[in-house]
Amino acid sequence: MEQPNLEVLSIKRSHDSSDGQLLQFLRERERTMSGRGLTKIVLNTLRMCWWPFVLKSQGADKNTLRTAVISCVSQLELQIYLLKQLLD
């Protein structure tokens, strides 16, 4: 049964490609990552980079846009910190 008004994203990659390895890594760890499923992990990652652009394209007011930008930048800064910890 088709459900109206749903956006569907399907990602298929070869297991031995870098994209496939990334998806497998996330799938194996999705249960330990705050109980999030793979879909939520992917969407949260996309949201960190793109949500303010969506809001701007929808005509969001400056306060809403500012709040979204600050939130996304904070999340990205945390991700950068975690990445840098891999080098230590």
Side-chain angles (χ1 to χ4, degrees), residues 46-76:
L46 289 171
R47 192 173 288 112
M48 277 192 288
C49 295
W50 295 103
W51 187 242
F53 295 102
V54 171
L55 292 175
K56 184 167 177 68
S57 75
Q58 294 174 345
D61 63 80
K62 283 191 174 191
N63 287 333
T64 300
L65 189 56
R66 178 179 169 77
T67 300
V69 168
I70 290 170
S71 175
C72 289
V73 168
S74 295
Q75 293 172 51
L76 288 165

Side-chain angles (χ1 to χ4, degrees), residues 2-3 8 10 14 18 20 23 25 27 29 31-33 35-36 42 48-49 53-54 61 64 66 68 73-74 77 85:
E2 186 176 321
Q3 296 180 349
V8 177
S10 177
S14 172
S18 60
L23 292 172
F25 174 85
R27 187 175 273 86
R29 286 159 183 79
R31 291 185 187 135
T32 62
M33 296 175 77
R36 299 185 217 170
V42 171
M48 277 192 288
C49 295
F53 295 102
V54 171
D61 63 80
T64 300
R66 178 179 169 77
V73 168
S74 295
E77 287 174 336
Q85 293 304 303

